[in-house]
Amino acid sequence: MADDKKLTSRAEDFSAWYNELVLRSELADYSPVKGSMVIRPNGYGIWERMQRALDDMFKATGHQNAYFPLLIPESFMKKEAEHVEGFAPELAVVTHGGGKLLEEPLVIRPTSETIIYHMFAKWTQSYRDLPILINQWANVVRWEMRTRLFLRTLEFLWQEGHTAHATHDEAEEEARRMLGVYRTFMEQWMAMPVITGVKSESEKFAGAVRTYACEAMMQDNKALQASTSHNLGQNFAKAFELQFQDEKGGMAFAWNTSWGLTTRMVGALVMTHGDDNGLCTPPRLAPIEIVIVPIWKNDDEKARLTAAALTVKAELTEWTGRGATDRLRVHVDLRDGMRSGAKYYEWELRGVPLRFELGPRDLEKQAVFAARRDTRAKQSLAMDGLPAAAAALLERIQNDMFQAALNRREANSVRGRISYDEFKVLMDGKGGFVFAGWCGESACEAKVKEETKATIRCMPDAEFRSPEAPATCLCCGGPSKAEAVWARAY
RNA sequence: CGGGGCGUAGCUUAGCCCGGUAGAGCGCCUGCUUCGGGAGCAGGAGGUCGGAGGUUCAAAUCCUCUCGCCCCGACCA
C-alpha cells in the first residue's frame, strides 16, 4: 500500500525507475503519437534554465540567435554524401500540402546544416562577411525506432550553432571553444562531470570532418553523449557553394562548424542526480530553489504561519546578494488539506534542492528548519541573515552534487592494463568507463561493439588521459595509436 | 522490423480459463475531525470494458480481424 507511493529503486530496475520518476515528477508525459512526448511545466522549467545559461554563454562568445525554417527541400538533404546516408533512415517527409501532392517533397529538419549553409552562401561574398556565428533554438525530428522519454524521442528540442569561417584554424578553434562552453555548462550548471574528446570515425556526425563530444556517466554506469561540436571542414561549403573572395581576390570555400545540445540533458540530469526518492535538481538549474512548507494545526496557526511563510519568501526574493537579476527562486506551499509530510515527499520527488519547514516552534525560535534534497541533511537556520545563508547553502549543494557525481564516475572508471576477457566480464557486469588503448582500426572497434555492446565514446583530451598511455589495443593487442574511453552507451 | 507484454473509472488493477446486474485500491468532490515525514471517518461523482465484426437468449469474458501503447533487440542526440 505504502509501497506504490515509492518509486521502483534504481538497484531493482534502473529503466523502470527512470520512467516512473519522469512521469511521476511530472517532467513529461507520453503524447498520443508513439515516440513523442509532452514536456510538462516541471520539465520545461528545467529546460528554460538550461536555455538561459547556454544562451548567455553563446552570446558571450559572439553568437547571435536566428531562426531557420522547419521544412527543408528534400534535394538539399542529398547534396552532402555522408549527410544523406547518415540521415536518410530517420527522415520524416512531407509529401502533401494544401491537399495536393507536392512537386518536391519536404523533409522535416533532423538538423539544419543544409538549409543554413544554403542561406550562408547567399549572404557571403567576401572574407569581410566572415565569420558568421549563428545559433538557433529549435525542434527537430528524427524517426527513431526505439524511443525513451527525453533520451530519444521522435521530436526533441535543442540548440544548434552554425558558423562559417575563412580559415580551417578558425573553424577548429570555434569547434573546440564550443566544446569548452558545453563542458562549463555541464560542470557548473548541471553539476555533471564530463570527459571531452574526439569521436572515432564511426561515431562522428554524418558530414563532419571531426566530431568532439562531452561524455557523461549515468548512475547505471552507461555513457551518455551529452553534446557534440563538429568541425565540418569544407564539406558543406562545397556542397552548397558557400564561397567567398579572399584578401588576394581568389575564391575559397568557407570552413564550417556546428554544435548542439538537446532536451536529452533533462534525462541526463535525472540519471546523474536522481535517487530512489525522485529527482534532485542542481540549484542553478532548479526552477524552484527553495520550497517553504508552513506547518499548522488550527486556523489561528494557519493564519500566523501562512503570513510568516510569505514574509520569509519576500525576504528571500527581495535579497539581491546574488545580483539584482539572479533572485532566489522560492515557492510557498500553502495547499490546504494536505499534510506537511505528504508535501515533503512530493517536493523531494520533484527535486527541489532545498526545503524550509516553518512551524510554530521554528517561528518561536525565529528560524526555519532546512532540509537538503541531495543529502537529506537537516539543520535549523536563523531568520536573521537567512537569504545569505540560504544562498550559501544552495551553492554548497551545487558543489557537493558535482563532487558526488565526479566521485561516482571515478569509482566506476578503470584505467591501466585490462585484458579483453576482463573487459567483457566488466561490460556484462557493472559496466563503467574503461580507458584503454586502440589500434585505430575500425574493425577492432566493430568487433568490440559486436561482442560487448561497448563502443569508443571518445579519444579523451589530454587532461583526461591516463598518466601512462596504454601500449596495446584493447581488442587485438596490437600497438595502441590512441587512448580511448570504452563503454556501453545510451 | 523481430521477440515479449498489456489495453476494464484520472491512475493501478480484479473479474476472462468456466458467458448471466462491472468490483476494489489510490486519486477526485462535499462535510467533520486532523495536521512537525505519505491522515481518519462519513457521504458522493466518475465506465459505450481500445475498436469492428462474429457465435449466443445473453459477451469485459469465446472466435476472427484491427488499432494503440509499453518493454527487450537491430539504428541513433
Side-chain angles (χ1 to χ4, degrees), chain A residues 113 175 205 208 210-212 228-232 256-260:
Chain A
E113 275 76 6
F205 176 73
R210 199 156 39 247
T211 290
Y212 297 105
T228 50
S229 177
H230 317 290
N231 179 336
L232 301 173
N256 298 111
T257 80
S258 67
W259 27 275

Side-chain angles (χ1 to χ4, degrees), chain A residues 386-399:
Chain A
L386 187 60
L393 189 49
L394 287 165
E395 214 172 301
R396 198 169 314 137
I397 292 170
Q398 180 84 29
N399 293 334

